[in-house]
Amino acid sequence: MPPRRPAVKFFPTMIRGRVFAKDRNRMDHPIAQPLRSHRAPGPLTGRVAVPGDKSISHRALMFGALAIGETRITGLLTGEDVLRTAAAMRALGAEVTRDPDGIWRVAGRGIGGLTEPADVLDMGNSGTAARLLCGILSTHPLFAVMTGDASLRGRPMRRVTDPLSKTGAQFMTREGGRLPMAIRGATDALPLEYRVPVPSAQVKSAVLLAGLNAPGITRVEEPEATRDHSENMLRHFGADVTVETVGNGRVITLVGQPELRAADVVVPGDPSSAAFPLVAALLVPGSRLTIPAVGLNPLRNGLLTTLLEMGADVTVRNQRMEGGEPVGDLDVGHSQLRAVDVPWDRAPSMIDEYPVLAVAASMAVGSTRMNGLRELRVKESDRLNATAALLTANGVKVEIDGDDMIVHGTGKPPAGGGLVATHMDHRIAMSALVLGLVTDQPVTADDAGFIETSFTDFIGLMNGAGADLRAP
Ligand code: S3P
């Protein structure tokens, strides 16, 4: 009898349909899955329920693992990024299971209770998973090694290892502060007082998470307010967190070594995923779509603000609170957009939405200037260049001026016909495919496989609403 394969419990979609490349340097990079977007044969209509919020999903699993008792999570994103976090928390000793009805349960170990992982923690494509976990590990007295895929191994980690070293933790990284890295967490950790030099919720959260297992007060100052899911959820789990607004920014304090108590979490639909069907419906003539239960956290809604300024027909209905976060249903109708100037201080509230906003701007009347996009250079790809290349390949005039991007829209569909290099970046792939719904010639994304990191069943949902996405 052939040996029985162990049941794959935590990666139901991880390996789905993927064939892994033989190339030694790209062992973790699946063979590309190109996808082509043809002009939508008619309007986009109906309801597109987007999957759970990625930021909140990572945090629910991590905080659940650090709490005492059983945390139940409804609506968790089962994209690959979040499954990496689930696997890492399990490797650190938490029990993480998924009920047949889709509810996830995390039996936590308590702060300080994580155990040494027996193997390398592979965070895949996820910067959030890697950086937040650095925070947790820095104040747990254990040894761990962390890596990621080729995209994540190219991303800067000093932004977290520099402040976290001050807890007493030791980090050994590859050249340039890149993954893989070895971490030895501090035994008698010191609490941090840190002013975050770049607007980054990941850095802020890493410092706060380190503070959970350090005695005394951890204080983080951010010059520009970034998404506050960590602060909100830490409170929800019983931590003592204060937030003070100072100018454009905030000062957050956390009282160390609280006893986090398990709490139920309801994950809202991800506004960063909703952005794709939202822009698609604005662009495809005659469309009218509903996107239910989308997160409306004010620190995430810069895209909505911008699209409304551009003349978008978007109505928010049924605003309510779910699991401590505001949510609402979005009704979207096709709209002729006009160009706007997007101020630099809006960037943190829409940092992941610029590629798809640039696609929307290519159909607007006039030139849209997006200011202060420096942070886009260190995302899953260099998104500033990748977005400009996406548009250029499809006949759109675009300029990069320092950290700003200017998209020259004509009010009409661009020519299309381009092959877009996605650079292992899910949002570049989805943005390209949205553009192809309106261009004269189809648009091809060279690899749509990474869409699974954040937006499960993107193709099914979009085609169900009337799009025409298919393999070339
Ligand atoms: C995230 C923060 C953002 C965002 C990322 C998710 C988070 O990154 O781009 O997709 O969950 O904290 P930065 O905080 O580094 O800008």
Side-chain angles (χ1 to χ4, degrees), residues 54-55 59 128 131 159 199-202 227 351-352 379:
K54 183 152 69 74
S55 295
R59 287 161 172 83
T128 307
R131 296 198 179 108
R159 51 179 54 203
S200 168
Q202 292 178 359
R227 66 190 70 191
I351 194 65
D352 292 334
K379 294 296 174 189

Side-chain angles (χ1 to χ4, degrees), residues 5-334:
R5 293 249 233 106
V8 180
K9 226 174 166 185
F10 294 95
F11 290 89
T13 60
M14 181 70 82
I15 319 286
R16 188 202 292 159
R18 297 281 195 94
V19 185
F20 282 76
K22 292 255 160 42
D23 179 338
R24 278 189 63 223
N25 291 318
R26 305 181 74 193
M27 281 293 279
D28 57 355
H29 187 179
I31 286 172
Q33 297 172 28
L35 194 65
R36 184 164 288 162
S37 177
H38 297 259
R39 187 160 53 202
L44 303 185
T45 53
R47 277 166 74 86
V48 174
V50 296
D53 189 281
K54 183 152 69 74
S55 295
I56 295 176
S57 295
H58 284 300
R59 287 161 172 83
L61 290 168
M62 289 181 184
F63 298 170
L66 292 171
I68 300 285
E70 187 183 85
T71 288
R72 284 159 39 99
I73 312 167
T74 308
L76 188 90
L77 170 66
T78 55
E80 291 177 9
D81 278 11
V82 174
L83 295 177
R84 295 284 180 174
T85 292
M89 299 330 290
R90 194 167 174 246
L92 289 161
E95 232 177 76
V96 184
T97 53
R98 186 183 184 197
D99 292 349
D101 61 0
I103 293 186
W104 287 68
R105 293 172 191 270
V106 184
R109 303 287 306 213
I111 288 169
L114 300 180
T115 50
E116 185 166 276
D119 203 348
V120 174
L121 301 171
D122 185 348
M123 308 323 292
N125 194 251
S126 178
T128 307
R131 296 198 179 108
L132 268 56
L133 197 52
C134 281
I136 293 175
L137 293 174
S138 68
T139 55
H140 273 76
L142 48 83
F143 174 79
V145 179
M146 188 188 291
T147 192
D149 70 11
S151 156
L152 186 55
R153 291 196 308 271
R155 296 178 67 184
M157 299 300 285
R158 275 200 192 122
R159 51 179 54 203
V160 289
T161 56
D162 279 355
L164 294 174
S165 299
K166 308 257 165 47
T167 60
Q170 289 173 286
F171 296 91
M172 281 183 75
T173 65
R174 216 156 52 88
E175 191 67 30
R178 320 264 159 184
L179 294 179
M181 74 161 72
I183 306 162
R184 182 164 292 286
T187 305
D188 292 308
L190 297 170
L192 300 174
E193 206 167 287
Y194 191 61
R195 185 173 198 275
V196 184
V198 287
S200 168
Q202 292 178 359
V203 177
K204 168 179 67 176
S205 301
V207 172
L208 288 172
L209 290 177
L212 285 175
N213 201 25
I217 305 287
T218 291
R219 184 178 181 279
V220 192
E221 192 179 332
E222 51 176 0
E224 291 169 57
T226 63
R227 66 190 70 191
D228 57 0
H229 305 305
S230 296
E231 297 89 309
N232 296 343
M233 208 185 289
L234 279 169
R235 280 211 199 95
H236 184 58
F237 277 78
D240 185 351
V241 177
T242 64
V243 180
E244 191 194 333
T245 302
V246 182
N248 270 347
R250 293 179 167 195
V251 175
I252 302 115
T253 59
L254 165 86
V255 179
Q257 297 181 320
E259 187 173 291
L260 293 188
R261 290 181 305 274
D264 289 351
V265 178
V266 180
V267 183
D270 196 328
S272 299
S273 296
F276 299 101
L278 172 60
V279 168
L282 290 173
L283 300 188
V284 175
S287 296
R288 183 146 289 282
L289 266 193
T290 298
I291 312 173
V294 178
L296 296 173
N297 183 308
L299 293 167
R300 298 283 299 279
N301 69 3
L303 178 70
L304 204 54
T305 307
T306 305
L307 291 172
L308 290 171
E309 285 176 6
M310 294 173 87
D313 171 8
V314 185
T315 313
V316 181
R317 286 187 303 104
N318 297 330
Q319 278 209 51
R320 56 204 185 266
M321 293 298 285
E322 260 177 27
E325 292 276 344
V327 299
D329 305 333
L330 305 183
D331 271 346
V332 197
H334 166 251

